Amino acid sequence: MDDSTLQTPPTQSALRTLSPPSSSSQLNLSAEAASKHIDRLLNSSHHTGPSRTIYSDRFIPSRSGSNFALFDLVSPKASSTAEGREDTSSAYATLLRAALFGPETSGGVAFPATPDKRSTPSRNIFRYKSETRRSMHSLLPFGFDEAVQGVNHSPVKAPRKVPRSPYKVLDAPALQDDFYLNLVDWSSHNVLAVGLGNCVYLWNACSSKVTKLCDLGLDDSVCSVGWAQRGTHLAVGTSNGKVQIWDASRCKRLRTMEGHRLRVGALAWSSSLLSSGGRDKTIFQRDIRAQDDFVSKLSGHKSEVCGLKWSYDNRELASGGNDNRLFVWNQHSTQPVLKYCEHTAAVKAIAWSPHLHGLLASGGGTADRCIRFWNTTTNSHLSCMDTGSQVCNLVWSKNVNELVSTHGYSQNQIIVWRYPTMSKLATLTGHTYRVLYLAISPDGQTIVTGAGDETLRFWNVFPSPKSQNTDSEIGASFLGRTTIR
């Protein structure tokens, strides 16, 4: 029946005549006479002719195309025929409901009731299920996990794919296997400085050109290297307790500064201020613009200073020592303003977060094996992660909230962590000795690691700051193996 066409209704007399008989005399009429009488009345009010079209702004839906059996409902106009179809379609409807809405609804769609304006039963198609959210995955007939109820199974981003192999390997003869040294650093001009024995070599990452910067002679050796933030000046700490400043662009030594009595294993720059930490337990603050070799001396550690890092705002200096202590100093203090004593082994690995002010990470040696996080603004210990092996270095990504740790005894691995969950994104292996040295490229995508196996390995572990694609692998193809000198 067309939704916009209605038949002319019967007359009131016809409706009254069709009502049940009210007297005993009418019950005596023969069946044939009653039938003729009814036909005559019907023909008198329903004459043959075209149907009159009635126009109205009311929409009257047609239920002829509705599949009420699918929802275990009975059509108002087909209640008698629905019983016959139920046997043939109930099995199919049950299977279909289970595939679409889950097995818990196979016995019927259990929607909570909504107010019904009519006095009909409450089974209504306009009723909704409970508040449990479902994603499009629930519409799949197969592969949907019903084990966890009430969880939004929305599509989860695939973790970023980190290449498990280095894209380049450099041979580094005479690279020392000493936990307390810092022999590798990467400048903002994309030049890698490496201390090998008593020499310092520069490797240009753009041209792969190797330059010998200096030779300290037979009586001295390189213990640390550190680039200034502008990338042109390189500080070199020696085993004789001296600190040399070199202009790398001209391969010229600018000055030599004294102060330490023993080797200088840690260096950190803050603009024109250079901090040096030595085996003599002291830290010297040196302004390379000043004539004096140092402007202040920081005392507090009870053993060799093996880790130094300035915060990104150049306001705080973190120092780690072989006394298992982590200290924080400000620009003008000669005593530590914060002291952390939770580590149970030497603290060489130190890294400030570039994403959150005051967030500091530190790692302990063989007897500790933990990475700890500190809030220097509130002077609080945030969390601790046991890595299972000696923590040698830490560095934060500048592009994403992740960090890398390198390890020694006993697994010699490199781990990429997501902060703050500290879930492992990748574990990289390849070095056969402790991974004692770590530096990050100026674009923040590549790290270089060094070990006592006399190799430097380059890994692409972080995405670029502009395109953080989680679906495709980042990194270059393997470019072969060369020697740095």
Side-chain angles (χ1 to χ4, degrees), residues 99-100 134-146 152-156:
L100 292 177
R134 288 184 180 273
S135 68
M136 291 302 295
H137 290 292
S138 64
L139 300 180
L140 297 176
F142 308 102
F144 182 72
D145 185 9
E146 292 288 343
N152 184 10
H153 295 270
S154 57
V156 179

Side-chain angles (χ1 to χ4, degrees), residues 399-475:
N399 305 332
V400 289
N401 200 13
E402 299 168 3
L403 68 158
V404 167
S405 60
T406 68
H407 299 268
Y409 302 126
S410 59
Q411 301 178 42
N412 306 326
Q413 79 274 37
I414 304 159
I415 303 178
V416 184
W417 307 87
R418 177 181 284 117
Y419 187 81
T421 61
M422 290 304 287
S423 57
K424 292 183 181 180
L425 286 175
T427 300
L428 312 176
T429 57
H431 285 290
T432 56
Y433 280 64
R434 297 180 295 174
V435 189
L436 298 176
Y437 311 111
L438 172 67
I440 189 168
S441 63
D443 64 3
Q445 300 183 66
T446 303
I447 61 169
V448 59
T449 56
D453 56 11
E454 299 185 345
T455 64
L456 296 173
R457 298 172 185 263
F458 295 80
W459 316 77
N460 277 319
V461 295
F462 297 127
S464 64
K466 294 183 179 180
S467 59
Q468 299 174 11
N469 191 350
T470 59
D471 296 327
S472 61
E473 290 192 5
I474 59 174

Side-chain angles (χ1 to χ4, degrees), residues 167-357:
Y167 71 87
K168 190 174 186 65
V169 178
L170 293 178
D171 287 323
L175 185 61
Q176 296 188 57
D177 182 30
D178 192 327
F179 178 80
Y180 300 99
L181 306 186
N182 291 275
L183 298 176
V184 178
D185 198 19
W186 206 328
S187 79
S188 59
H189 288 180
N190 212 13
V191 177
L192 190 70
V194 184
L196 301 177
N198 53 7
C199 299
V200 175
Y201 290 88
L202 306 179
W203 180 78
N204 191 306
C206 299
S207 63
S208 296
K209 179 183 177 181
V210 178
T211 304
K212 183 178 179 179
L213 179 66
C214 65
D215 188 337
L216 301 181
L218 298 177
D219 297 333
D220 207 351
S221 62
V222 180
C223 295
S224 57
V225 294
W227 285 102
Q229 292 164 339
R230 293 185 177 180
T232 54
H233 291 82
L234 179 71
V236 179
T238 71
S239 59
N240 289 336
K242 295 181 174 60
V243 176
Q244 299 181 2
I245 306 298
W246 287 77
D247 184 345
S249 61
R250 297 184 294 164
C251 292
K252 180 181 179 180
R253 186 176 65 185
L254 301 179
R255 65 183 297 183
T256 299
M257 296 177 287
E258 299 183 355
H260 291 288
R261 302 187 309 272
L262 300 171
R263 70 181 182 186
V264 181
L267 297 168
W269 286 87
S270 171
S271 186
S272 60
L273 187 68
L274 173 64
S275 303
S276 61
R279 200 170 190 175
D280 57 4
K281 314 172 190 176
T282 60
I283 300 171
F284 285 100
Q285 305 282 49
R286 310 173 187 272
D287 191 336
I288 61 173
R289 301 168 299 180
Q291 188 175 3
D292 296 333
D293 285 346
F294 58 90
V295 295
S296 63
K297 178 181 178 180
L298 313 184
S299 301
H301 284 286
K302 304 300 181 183
S303 187
E304 180 173 8
V305 179
C306 50
L308 279 177
K309 284 289 168 59
W310 279 96
S311 61
Y312 280 87
D313 59 5
N314 293 325
R315 293 184 177 180
E316 295 178 301
L317 173 68
S319 65
N322 196 31
D323 54 1
N324 309 343
R325 300 292 188 264
L326 174 67
F327 293 158
V328 178
W329 320 71
N330 62 30
Q331 293 173 307
H332 309 291
S333 66
T334 56
Q335 294 293 322
V337 294
L338 299 176
K339 296 181 179 181
Y340 301 117
C341 306
E342 280 77 1
H343 284 291
T344 57
V347 182
K348 176 193 178 185
I350 301 172
W352 292 91
S353 170
H355 309 288
L356 185 61
H357 175 72

Side-chain angles (χ1 to χ4, degrees), residues 352-430:
W352 292 91
S353 170
H355 309 288
L356 185 61
H357 175 72
L359 177 58
L360 177 64
S362 61
T366 306
D368 184 77
R369 306 184 308 249
C370 292
I371 300 175
R372 296 179 182 270
F373 295 91
W374 319 84
N375 187 332
T376 61
T377 303
T378 61
N379 190 21
S380 58
H381 180 220
L382 300 177
S383 60
C384 176
M385 169 62 69
D386 190 341
T387 66
S389 56
Q390 179 187 41
V391 184
C392 301
N393 293 279
L394 288 169
V395 66
W396 287 87
S397 167
K398 294 177 286 187
N399 305 332
V400 289
N401 200 13
E402 299 168 3
L403 68 158
V404 167
S405 60
T406 68
H407 299 268
Y409 302 126
S410 59
Q411 301 178 42
N412 306 326
Q413 79 274 37
I414 304 159
I415 303 178
V416 184
W417 307 87
R418 177 181 284 117
Y419 187 81
T421 61
M422 290 304 287
S423 57
K424 292 183 181 180
L425 286 175
T427 300
L428 312 176
T429 57

